[in-house]
């Protein structure tokens, strides 16, 4: 049994498996000192009391190893990122029918045809095809047991013995696709979580085009991502420009906006608990046909995180009559719709809680004329809420306790992927040292579990589904796990209410 030896393939997870070829026809059985467990550390041990601490330690140690590999990978791939400046015509071949031209493997376990993987070198263009786990060549054939990864040939499948140690766990992850894709109150969600959306971004592009939202207002970075501010759509974003909700959402049909952005009456009692998109849509009179949730998952995820995990911090702020100080780190596409976070202010206004939101952003992601950061002026002289953008990164150019609007009560990071990037180490170290509450989200359960392991067992155990995840199945090309923006929460230093 060994840990961390396969970070190259999996980009950083702790890997636990037997150092031997695994007989894939039988269920994998791990036993240590007569205790049976599965590779999913969170759920697998039959007796949680005997989970050895060294497994959690191994996760931390493996982090630096994964971070170095990730930095190396990033440097090697930088040119590819630059070419992400795509328009419609560039994308037209995304779903071309040649995808499996070289593949004759039918994904069947019993298929003993020893097809060699195609030998041509990988394309220099960024690929948007599903890829074989073993050789990274295009493949459409899913692992017949877990449906979580692709293999292009029987030989690749046979060589990837490491996958078979994780396969039973991945089967559990993929089995949760249906409940994760369920948004009963959103009329468009059966389409936006359907299987074509999981292997290409073209269906989402078509969907936004059909609503005349593609590349407009706050939707403009929905498709090409952010890519460190270099993607085609991100380049044009000027985060200092203010937008109203109507300008940001650009709905053809104004009704789709409901009451989003409208203040509650000053006498309004604290809001009833919001447990789903249905609750929020009802509160704001938004019709179930409105696609607003596809963007609003950012402020609503913050609302959910603060309601669920930050009660002690909220109560102290209210007692001291001062705004809750929140640092939002690892910020990227959030920059395109800073004004949308005003909905978060409004949702907390009936409970008399004000928020200082400080977005901590790497300087090179900001428009040239505001590289040193900026603060949005308050909308009304009486409000204590604020939105500030600070230029820099934790412990590199910024001291979190002094340079970002004061010591944070909460550090928030959305879609963070802290396991894959070395730069997150400073945030993790800060949380470890300060004991500050850290609320994170991740795209998929596998990544979330690995990231959460950096905060120790309690953090790992905190992994949970976010009811305000984006109602959109995100395409994934290197695997086939259910993936949603702001899909899963995990929490560092959660305190119990005394
Ligand atoms: Zn292959
Ligand atoms: Zn599998």
């Amino acid at each position: 049994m060994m840990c961390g030896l396969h970070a190259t393939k999996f980009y950083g997870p702790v890997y636990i498996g037997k150092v031997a070829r695994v007989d894939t026809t039988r269920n994998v059985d791990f036993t240590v000192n007569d205790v049976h467990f599965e590779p999913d550390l969170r759920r697998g041990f039959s007796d949680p009391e005997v989970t050895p601490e060294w497994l959690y330690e191994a996760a931390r140690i493996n982090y630096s190893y994964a971070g170095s590999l990730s930095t190396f990978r990033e440097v090697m791939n930088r040119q590819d990122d630059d070419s992400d400046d795509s328009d419609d015509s560039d994308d037209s071949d995304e779903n071309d029918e040649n995808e499996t031209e070289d593949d004759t493997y039918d994904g069947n376990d019993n298929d003993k045809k020893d097809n060699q993987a195609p030998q041509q070198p990988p394309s220099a263009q960024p690929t948007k095809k599903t890829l074989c786990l073993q050789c990274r060549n295009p493949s459409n054939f899913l692992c017949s047991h877990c449906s979580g990864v692709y293999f292009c040939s029987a030989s690749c499948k046979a060589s990837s013995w490491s996958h078979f140690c994780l396969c039973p766990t991945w089967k559990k992850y993929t089995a949760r696709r249906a409940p994760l894709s369920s948004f009963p109150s959103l009329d468009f969600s059966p389409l936006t979580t359907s299987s074509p959306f999981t292997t290409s971004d073209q269906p989402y592009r078509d969907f936004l085009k059909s609503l005349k939202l593609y590349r407009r207002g706050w939707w403009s970075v929905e498709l090409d991502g952010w890519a460190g501010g270099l993607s085609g759509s991100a380049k044009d974003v000027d985060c200092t420009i203010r937008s109203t909700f109507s300008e940001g959402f650009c709905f053809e049909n104004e009704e789709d906006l409901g009451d989003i952005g409208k203040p509650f009456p000053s006498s309004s009692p604290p809001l009833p608990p919001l447990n789903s998109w249905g609750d929020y849509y009802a509160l704001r009179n938004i019709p179930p046909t409105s696609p607003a949730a596809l963007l609003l998952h950012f402020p609503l995820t913050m609302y959910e995180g603060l309601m669920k995990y930050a009660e002690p911090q909220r109560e102290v702020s209210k007692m001291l009559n001062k705004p809750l100080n929140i640092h939002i780190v690892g910020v990227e596409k959030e920059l395109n719709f800073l004004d949308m976070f005003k909905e978060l202010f409004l949702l907390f206004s009936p409970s008399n809680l004000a928020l200082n939101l400080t977005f901590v952003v790497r300087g090179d992601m900001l428009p040239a004329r505001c590289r040193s950061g900026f603060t949005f002026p308050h909308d009304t002289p009486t409000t204590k809420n604020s939105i500030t953008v600070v230029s820099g990164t934790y412990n590199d150019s910024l001291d979190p306790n002094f340079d970002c609007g004061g010591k944070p009560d909460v550090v928030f990071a959305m879609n963070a992927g802290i396991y894959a990037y070395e730069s997150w180490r400073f945030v993790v170290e800060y949380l470890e040292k300060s004991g500050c509450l850290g609320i994170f989200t991740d795209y998929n359960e596998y990544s979330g579990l690995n990231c959460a392991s950096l905060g120790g067992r309690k953090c790992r155990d905190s992994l949970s589904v976010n009811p305000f995840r984006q109602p959109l199945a995100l395409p994934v090309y290197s695997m086939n796990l259910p993936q949603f923006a702001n899909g899963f929460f995990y929490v560092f230093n959660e305190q119990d209410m005394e």
Side-chain angles (χ1 to χ4, degrees):
M1 169 176 250
M2 53 212 304
C3 261
L5 289 188
H6 295 273
T8 319
K9 293 256 166 55
F10 287 88
Y11 301 118
V14 166
Y15 170 67
I16 301 164
K18 289 177 179 173
V19 194
R21 179 73 177 275
V22 174
D23 179 354
T24 60
T25 60
R26 285 183 297 166
N27 280 339
V28 183
D29 177 21
F30 297 101
T31 306
V32 177
N33 296 335
D34 295 330
V35 178
H36 170 77
F37 65 96
E38 293 173 47
D40 180 343
L41 295 189
R42 190 166 50 110
R43 300 191 183 83
F45 285 87
S46 53
D47 177 0
E49 293 306 307
V50 300
T51 306
E53 278 309 316
W54 64 264
L55 278 178
Y56 295 101
E57 264 320 293
R60 286 171 195 274
I61 292 163
N62 196 35
Y63 175 54
S64 60
Y65 177 46
S68 316
L69 284 169
S70 162
T71 308
F72 179 67
R73 181 163 48 95
E74 224 173 60
V75 170
M76 299 302 284
N77 289 335
R78 195 153 283 165
Q79 237 175 341
D80 287 356
D81 290 345
D82 287 350
S83 56
D84 199 28
D85 190 353
S86 51
D87 60 26
D88 294 358
S89 54
D90 291 334
D91 298 326
S92 59
D93 64 349
E94 253 169 31
N95 289 317
D96 68 41
E97 52 298 329
N98 299 327
E99 225 164 3
T100 57
E101 206 174 51
D102 300 316
D103 297 333
T104 51
Y105 177 56
D106 64 3
N108 187 330
D109 269 348
N110 300 319
D111 188 345
K112 299 295 178 200
K113 279 181 289 180
D114 194 15
N115 293 324
Q116 289 303 307
Q119 292 300 308
Q120 72 269 26
S123 161
Q125 294 300 315
T127 179
K128 288 201 172 176
K129 292 175 178 174
T130 51
L131 302 174
C132 170
L133 176 72
Q134 184 68 12
C135 69
R136 314 305 268 176
N137 273 302
S139 171
N140 269 344
F141 302 122
L142 287 167
C143 169
S144 52
H145 183 66
C146 70
S147 300
V149 295
Y150 297 90
F151 290 111
C152 71
S153 64
S155 66
C156 270
K157 187 170 184 179
S159 306
S160 185
W161 61 267
S162 59
H163 170 69
F164 291 102
C165 300
L166 292 169
C167 189
T169 305
W170 283 45
K171 190 175 183 181
K172 292 182 180 179
Y173 295 157
T174 53
R176 286 193 263 275
R177 189 183 303 280
L180 284 167
S181 303
S182 171
F183 300 90
S185 51
L186 304 176
D187 286 0
F188 58 89
S189 67
L191 173 67
T192 56
T193 58
S194 63
S195 97
F197 282 68
T198 64
T199 52
S200 165
D201 58 14
Q202 192 61 37
Y204 189 35
R205 200 181 303 274
D206 294 340
F207 175 76
L208 292 182
K209 280 180 181 170
S210 73
L211 298 172
K212 299 194 168 65
L213 297 172
Y214 180 58
R215 286 201 165 173
R216 295 188 63 207
W218 290 341
W219 303 91
S220 65
V221 294
E222 273 301 279
L223 261 305
D224 299 333
W226 192 259
L230 293 172
S231 79
S233 49
K235 275 182 203 161
D236 300 330
V237 170
D238 182 345
C239 49
T240 61
I241 294 174
R242 308 294 307 258
S243 304
T244 64
F245 283 84
S246 174
E247 290 161 350
F249 279 104
C250 296
F251 289 135
E252 287 269 289
N253 181 356
E254 277 282 319
E255 272 181 21
D256 281 346
L257 202 55
D259 294 339
I260 307 168
K262 280 193 192 152
F264 294 93
S266 56
S267 56
S268 183
L271 301 182
L274 300 177
N275 297 315
S276 66
W277 281 115
D279 291 347
Y280 173 74
Y281 268 44
L283 176 79
R284 290 308 228 167
N285 298 313
I286 308 166
T289 47
S290 169
L294 289 164
L295 290 181
L296 278 170
H297 62 100
F298 280 101
L300 266 292
T301 291
M302 288 197 66
Y303 183 74
E304 170 73 7
L306 295 173
M307 287 304 286
K308 194 168 169 187
Y309 303 113
E311 191 180 359
Q313 290 79 359
R314 285 189 283 116
E315 289 307 315
V316 169
S317 279
K318 277 195 273 185
M319 227 155 54
L320 301 176
N321 194 27
K322 72 173 194 59
L324 190 67
N325 212 12
I326 304 170
H327 290 183
I328 300 142
V329 293
V331 175
E332 291 199 330
K333 69 199 285 190
E334 294 93 321
L335 285 174
N336 188 42
F337 33 66
L338 288 171
D339 272 308
M340 189 166 42
F341 289 90
K342 286 193 296 187
E343 179 68 355
L344 183 63
F345 298 155
L346 296 171
L347 293 175
F348 277 114
S349 64
S351 51
N352 294 318
L353 180 70
L355 310 175
N356 280 339
L357 300 186
T358 303
F359 292 83
V360 182
V361 189
R362 245 175 45 204
D364 56 321
M365 294 219 200
L366 291 167
R369 65 189 172 83
C370 57
R371 281 271 149 89
S372 51
F374 58 92
T375 301
F376 277 170
H378 290 176
D379 297 305
T380 66
T382 52
T383 180
K384 286 183 183 170
N385 296 303
S386 68
I387 292 178
T388 300
V389 174
V390 170
S391 168
T393 45
Y394 264 28
N395 279 30
D396 174 15
S397 52
L398 298 173
D399 181 332
N401 288 335
F402 296 102
D403 298 329
C404 315
K407 199 169 183 293
D409 299 310
V410 183
V411 173
F412 218 110
M414 286 177 275
N415 303 317
I418 61 173
Y419 211 91
Y421 297 96
E422 176 75 359
S423 49
W424 283 102
R425 174 185 292 225
F426 296 120
V427 177
V428 173
E429 281 175 359
Y430 175 74
L431 294 175
E432 262 175 16
K433 268 188 224 150
S434 66
C436 178
L437 176 68
I439 306 175
F440 292 74
T441 65
D442 208 309
Y443 289 104
N444 68 61
E445 197 169 358
Y446 178 62
S447 170
L449 202 56
N450 281 302
C451 294
S453 70
L454 299 174
R457 182 192 289 184
K458 197 176 173 200
C459 183
R460 196 175 173 104
D461 289 348
S462 72
L463 190 76
S464 63
V465 175
N466 173 15
F468 294 102
R469 64 197 176 279
Q470 189 184 31
L472 171 75
L474 289 177
V476 205
Y477 303 100
S478 56
M479 57 184 191
N480 187 42
L481 296 184
Q483 178 140 300
F484 297 85
N486 287 314
F488 296 86
F489 274 117
Y490 56 95
V491 187
F492 284 68
N493 303 322
E494 186 180 358
Q495 293 160 26
D496 301 319
M497 269 303 260
E498 293 291 322

